[in-house]
Amino acid sequence: MTMITETAIEADPNLPIIRITRDFAATPEQLFRAHSDPALFAQWAGPNGTDTRIDHWDARAGGSWRYTAEHRGQVFAFRGCFHDVRPDRIVQTFTYENEPDSVALETLRFEDLGDGRTRLHARSLVDSFEARDGMLASGMETGVNDGYAKLERMLADGTV
Amino acid sequence: MTMITETAIEADPNLPIIRITRDFAATPEQLFRAHSDPALFAQWAGPNGTDTRIDHWDARAGGSWRYTAEHRGQVFAFRGCFHDVRPDRIVQTFTYENEPDSVALETLRFEDLGDGRTRLHARSLVDSFEARDGMLASGMETGVNDGYAKLERMLADGTV
């Protein structure tokens, strides 16, 4: 199986969904930890130069989370609830607090490829194609690519 | 404005969404209470003859809920988390526990029509048209219609 070493960010043609796919030299357990442990998540999420502060984080089905991200002097706040927290899957809601009426349903899936490699499948479902295309146009690509590059380094140096 | 006294259940042609619209002789506050107070919700939800038991219910942003519904000797369990609980809007996730990988994002909106009337806009967003059409084919219509008829009686007799 070919490794997806570049991050693939795709807009579904028929559904208001963004799909992100990325392979890591990591076990599913490591990717689960990187996404569920707040101290680890804060170290890699977002574009380079982001200072992520966890306000609240209760990673269990029925728990909730909130964090702020400071980047180039601006502070952005995000929040949501955890619907599912399983070793192979995290399902959560996601809102950028400046747009409180917009809610995405996010699903993270950790697919074991064997040989210490895992494919991350991340999916954001929203309620309109306009909202989905707005997310894609917002510069999310830089945050996603920078974030996964940081995560890759943390996996390589044993932080995760 | 014409009252929508029959419940309208509509499949969006372009999005994996079910929309339900229904007018009630009620204030937005009453409809909010009927959907957020577990003791009230348990009295009207589901088809006639349903015995709803609240297992857990914490109606605040970041809270969660679970209930079981016994109907004709069968027990069905449902659970989710509350993303938003506002006087005009409730956003929550929804899973039928026998299909644990299926998650819907539900939005309830209470639109004040004046004169003690309120329009309920309920929306379920799922991740495929197959899942959406499966929900419609599952007999949800009876549950929705019976439930709102019970709610209407509870509004008329002062229970809500």
Side-chain angles (χ1 to χ4, degrees):
Chain A
M1 189 179 283
T2 312
M3 286 277 279
I4 303 176
T5 50
E6 295 289 308
T7 305
I9 302 179
E10 295 166 317
D12 191 295
N14 302 312
L15 295 164
I17 286 177
I18 296 172
R19 294 180 208 279
I20 298 176
T21 313
R22 174 68 134 85
D23 291 352
F24 290 92
T27 62
E29 292 73 22
Q30 284 176 299
L31 280 196
F32 174 80
R33 266 209 309 282
H35 285 87
S36 59
D37 179 316
L40 293 176
F41 178 81
Q43 286 180 64
W44 66 263
N48 293 335
T50 300
D51 181 11
T52 299
R53 290 171 194 229
I54 306 295
D55 180 57
H56 173 74
W57 190 280
D58 183 12
R60 57 178 180 82
S64 64
W65 60 272
R66 181 177 188 274
Y67 65 85
T68 58
E70 189 177 339
H71 187 246
R72 298 184 180 168
Q74 283 193 291
V75 179
F76 307 90
F78 306 92
R79 67 171 190 84
C81 59
F82 288 108
H83 179 82
D84 250 341
V85 178
R86 306 188 322 210
D88 63 330
R89 196 177 85 140
I90 295 173
V91 182
Q92 61 191 55
T93 58
F94 178 96
T95 282
Y96 168 44
E97 289 189 355
N98 278 21
E99 294 172 10
D101 286 355
S102 297
V103 186
L105 186 65
E106 296 197 334
T107 303
L108 306 170
R109 210 155 49 74
F110 313 116
E111 182 193 358
D112 194 347
L113 302 179
D115 300 325
R117 298 173 309 148
T118 299
R119 182 161 296 167
L120 169 67
H121 300 268
R123 201 180 63 181
S124 282
L125 169 66
V126 292
D127 65 359
S128 73
F129 289 97
E130 292 73 16
R132 192 272 306 272
D133 295 339
M135 284 169 71
L136 283 173
S138 72
M140 67 174 284
E141 203 171 338
T142 304
V144 168
N145 285 322
D146 285 2
Y148 290 155
K150 281 182 274 181
L151 175 53
E152 200 160 58
R153 290 192 293 274
M154 289 168 65
L155 289 160
D157 72 12
T159 307
V160 181
Chain B
M1 189 179 283
T2 313
M3 285 279 277
I4 304 176
T5 50
E6 296 290 307
T7 304
I9 302 179
E10 293 166 318
D12 190 295
N14 301 313
L15 294 164
I17 285 178
I18 296 172
R19 294 178 207 280
I20 299 177
T21 313
R22 175 69 135 81
D23 291 351
F24 289 93
T27 61
E29 291 73 23
Q30 284 175 300
L31 280 197
F32 173 80
R33 265 209 309 281
H35 286 86
S36 59
D37 180 316
L40 294 176
F41 179 81
Q43 287 180 64
W44 68 262
N48 293 334
T50 300
D51 181 10
T52 299
R53 290 172 195 227
I54 306 294
D55 179 58
H56 174 73
W57 190 280
D58 183 12
R60 57 176 180 85
S64 64
W65 60 271
R66 183 178 185 274
Y67 66 84
T68 59
E70 188 175 339
H71 187 245
R72 297 181 180 169
Q74 283 192 291
V75 178
F76 307 89
F78 306 92
R79 67 170 190 85
C81 59
F82 288 108
H83 178 83
D84 250 341
V85 179
R86 305 189 321 210
D88 63 330
R89 195 177 87 141
I90 295 173
V91 182
Q92 62 191 55
T93 59
F94 179 97
T95 283
Y96 168 44
E97 290 189 357
N98 277 20
E99 295 171 9
D101 287 352
S102 299
V103 185
L105 185 65
E106 295 196 335
T107 303
L108 306 170
R109 210 155 48 76
F110 313 116
E111 181 193 359
D112 194 348
L113 302 179
D115 300 325
R117 298 173 309 148
T118 299
R119 182 161 295 167
L120 170 67
H121 300 268
R123 201 181 62 181
S124 282
L125 169 67
V126 292
D127 65 358
S128 73
F129 289 98
E130 294 72 17
R132 192 272 305 276
D133 296 340
M135 284 170 70
L136 283 172
S138 72
M140 66 174 285
E141 201 172 340
T142 304
V144 168
N145 284 323
D146 284 3
Y148 291 156
K150 283 183 273 181
L151 175 53
E152 197 160 59
R153 290 192 293 274
M154 289 168 65
L155 289 161
D157 72 13
T159 307
V160 180

